[in-house]
């Protein structure tokens, strides 16, 4: 049993990062419009987040300090402030999407309008952060989120043409789609941004400090990464494949979580629908926990405040105040009447824009012997890290022009 829960942080990070509201919507949209032709983006994203999460966790385990603390000390206040500003603003946008995602999932279960669920979702997130131990939070949320495996089960029950899906994976165009190249690349960047959302690495690093990882725990850190994130990637591909089989041939547009759940309901009936709604709630709730905590982590670590769930709220009051304020701001945005699905789509694209400011500092810190001793990056890790920084830079530069040209993928 200990071996199972040893990977709980990785599972929670993956379920709340790869399979959050952004992934649920984006993969479903992509599957319904492009089939499996963007599978390669998910694979590239999985490898990238594994690469940098491994660095971030190793920095925390070896130095005993969270990544953001070291970034300010190593790179100076200006560089760290740019990193903080980008990641914090993306966090707020992502948190808005996740609270909206919880409400949309609860609407599926109850038929009650999402606006009535917004405050319920935000209060529930705060209560868990305030009262529930970190270990219990990660174990329960991560494991319940595994209900999304129902997409993989549903795919088999849909009896797809496996050779047709395989041909699409190999980048042969789907016979059902006439999307433009610009739209294709816009959604490629959206998928990439959803896979490598900045809060994932900050949560993973700070979670390592919450769990008091040391150098002896590096093997556990690697296990978390190599199990959790690939699992998230497989779930993502299952969502896209289900949409490819059911939605694409019928030309059904994904405008809510109902369309995302439709293939599971068709394959497995009411039982499948109940399971998938449970997975939706757990995944979006887990992501909301991660993003809320990441907001407090980044500001607390930048300004040197006491932070962490292992501290009582009274001894880390500013850390908790930031999280409360973040939830209030997210609610304020949602109460303007904005569509949570649109917020989700914009959040993953803007995440791609902010990626260089997140991952370059991590690569620099992971190569500094002052903090890492003999656990600095090896040549292979640096080689692939630099390749990914190039990809990240290209995605960041191309995101806004493609958004304008394609009308945000319309």
């Amino acid at each position: 049993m200990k071996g199972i829960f040893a990977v709980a942080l990785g599972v929670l990070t993956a379920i709340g990062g790869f399979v959050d509201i952004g992934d649920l919507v984006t993969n479903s949209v992509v599957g319904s419009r492009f089939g499996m032709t963007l599978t390669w983006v998910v694979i590239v994203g999985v490898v990238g987040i594994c690469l940098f999460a491994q660095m971030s966790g190793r920095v925390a385990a070896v130095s005993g300090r969270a990544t953001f603390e070291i970034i300010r000390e190593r790179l100076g206040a200006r560089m760290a402030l740019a990193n903080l500003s980008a990641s914090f603003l993306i966090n707020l946008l992502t948190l808005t999407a996740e609270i909206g995602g919880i409400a949309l999932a609860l609407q599926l279960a109850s038929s009650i309008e999402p606006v009535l669920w917004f405050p319920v979702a935000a209060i529930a997130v705060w209560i868990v952060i305030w009262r529930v131990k970190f270990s219990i939070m990660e174990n329960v949320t991560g494991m319940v989120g595994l209900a999304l495996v129902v997409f993989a089960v549903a795919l088999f029950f849909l009896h797809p043409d496996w050779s047709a899906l395989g041909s699409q994976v190999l980048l042969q165009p789907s016979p059902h789609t006439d999307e433009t190249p610009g739209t294709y690349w816009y959604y490629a960047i959206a998928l990439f941004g959803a896979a490598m959302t900045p809060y994932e690495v900050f949560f993973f690093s700070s979670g390592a400090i919450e769990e008091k990882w040391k150098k002896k725990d590096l093997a556990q850190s690697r296990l978390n990464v190599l199990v959790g994130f690939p699992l998230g990637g497989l779930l993502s591909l299952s969502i896209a494949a289900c949409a490819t089989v059911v939605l694409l041939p019928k030309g059904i547009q994904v405008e809510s979580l109902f369309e995302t759940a439709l293939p599971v309901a068709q394959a497995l009936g009411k039982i499948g629908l109940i399971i998938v709604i449970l997975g939706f709630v757990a995944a979006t709730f887990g992501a909301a926990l991660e993003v809320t905590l990441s907001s407090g982590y980044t500001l607390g670590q930048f300004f040197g405040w006491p932070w962490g769930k292992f501290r009582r709220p009274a001894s880390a009051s500013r850390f908790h105040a930031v999280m409360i304020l973040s939830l209030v701001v997210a609610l304020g945005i949602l109460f303007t009447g904005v569509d949570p699905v649109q917020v989700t789509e914009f959040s993953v694209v803007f995440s791609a824009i902010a990626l260089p400011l997140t991952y370059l500092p991590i690569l620099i810190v992971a190569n500094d012997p002052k903090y890492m001793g003999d656990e600095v990056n090896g040549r292979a890790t640096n080689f692939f890290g630099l390749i990914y920084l190039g990809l990240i830079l290209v995605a960041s530069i191309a995101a806004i022009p493609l958004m304008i040209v394609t009308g945000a993928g319309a």
Side-chain angles (χ1 to χ4, degrees):
M1 187 63 69
K2 288 183 178 179
I4 294 175
F5 288 126
V7 298
L9 179 59
V11 171
L12 173 59
T13 309
I15 294 297
F18 251 95
V19 196
D20 63 353
I21 184 64
D23 186 73
L24 291 169
V25 171
T26 305
N27 275 280
S28 190
V29 169
V30 165
S32 70
R33 295 178 63 172
F34 301 94
M36 299 301 292
T37 59
L38 284 166
T39 297
W40 65 273
V41 179
V42 176
I43 296 172
V44 170
V46 168
V47 174
I49 194 61
C50 284
L51 181 69
F52 283 96
Q54 178 271 140
M55 287 187 213
S56 187
R58 179 157 41 87
V59 168
V62 172
S63 68
R65 301 168 66 188
T67 304
F68 218 103
E69 291 183 85
I70 299 177
I71 287 175
R72 174 171 181 171
E73 185 177 293
R74 173 64 176 78
L75 302 181
R78 288 187 179 181
M79 182 64 180
L81 182 60
N83 188 326
L84 172 69
S85 300
S87 62
F88 191 77
L89 290 175
I90 295 300
N91 269 7
L92 283 177
L93 190 60
T94 306
L95 179 58
T96 302
E98 303 303 344
I99 296 297
I102 298 170
L104 292 175
L106 292 172
Q107 180 192 27
L108 278 180
S110 66
S111 299
I112 297 174
E113 287 299 313
V115 68
L116 298 178
W117 286 117
F118 294 154
V120 174
I123 292 170
V125 167
W126 169 242
I127 289 174
V128 170
I129 290 176
W130 181 37
R131 302 296 299 178
V132 179
K133 291 183 178 179
F134 190 89
S135 58
I136 296 175
M137 180 189 80
E138 64 174 350
N139 289 336
V140 173
T141 311
M143 296 309 170
V144 175
L146 289 176
L148 291 175
V149 170
V150 72
F151 277 99
V153 176
L155 182 61
F156 281 92
F157 277 83
L158 288 168
H159 305 294
D161 183 340
W162 295 104
S163 62
L165 289 179
S167 68
Q168 292 176 36
V169 170
L170 296 175
L171 304 185
Q172 295 180 18
S174 167
H176 301 288
T177 182
D178 56 357
E179 300 285 354
T180 65
T183 307
Y184 176 92
W185 287 106
Y186 172 79
Y187 277 103
I189 289 175
L191 275 181
F192 189 60
M196 299 192 67
T197 310
Y199 76 82
E200 295 178 70
V201 289
F202 292 128
F203 176 81
F204 192 75
S205 169
S206 301
I209 302 301
E210 297 269 20
E211 293 196 327
K212 299 179 173 60
W213 282 3
K214 303 297 181 186
K215 189 174 180 179
K216 63 181 177 60
D217 298 309
L218 286 177
Q220 179 179 333
S221 174
R222 286 190 289 269
L223 186 64
N224 271 265
V225 169
L226 296 177
V227 172
F229 291 107
L231 173 61
L234 287 173
L235 294 180
S236 296
L237 292 177
S238 296
I239 295 167
C242 284
T244 299
V245 173
V246 175
L247 306 183
L248 176 60
K250 298 177 181 178
I252 297 175
Q253 296 293 315
V254 177
E255 299 177 348
S256 69
L257 284 183
F258 172 76
E259 288 81 17
T260 301
L262 188 59
V264 176
Q266 178 174 316
L268 302 174
K270 290 183 179 180
I271 297 298
L273 185 59
I274 292 170
I275 295 172
V276 80
I277 291 174
L278 177 64
F280 285 169
V281 173
T284 52
F285 194 83
L289 292 173
E290 283 188 36
V291 183
T292 304
L293 282 164
S294 293
S295 298
Y297 288 149
T298 51
L299 279 180
Q301 291 162 18
F302 178 84
F303 289 108
W305 302 335
W307 60 271
K309 277 180 61 58
F310 59 87
R311 290 189 169 94
R312 293 181 179 276
S315 61
S317 56
R318 287 172 290 189
F319 168 71
H320 284 271
V322 167
M323 293 189 289
I324 293 173
L325 183 60
S326 297
L327 288 167
V328 170
V329 171
L331 281 177
I333 295 173
L334 288 169
F335 278 130
T336 65
V338 66
D339 182 357
V341 173
Q342 288 187 342
V343 175
T344 297
E345 293 175 350
F346 281 115
S347 72
V348 295
V349 174
F350 282 111
S351 290
I353 297 171
L355 292 181
L357 291 172
T358 298
Y359 291 109
L360 175 59
I362 291 174
L363 185 62
I364 292 172
V365 169
N367 277 286
D368 193 331
K370 175 183 176 182
Y371 303 101
M372 301 300 296
D374 59 356
E375 293 292 341
V376 294
N377 284 351
R379 291 183 179 180
T381 301
N382 282 330
F383 174 76
F384 288 107
L386 289 173
I387 288 177
Y388 266 89
L389 282 178
L391 291 175
I392 285 167
L393 187 60
V394 170
S396 177
I397 293 172
I400 292 297
L402 284 173
M403 179 182 285
I404 295 171
V405 169
T406 66

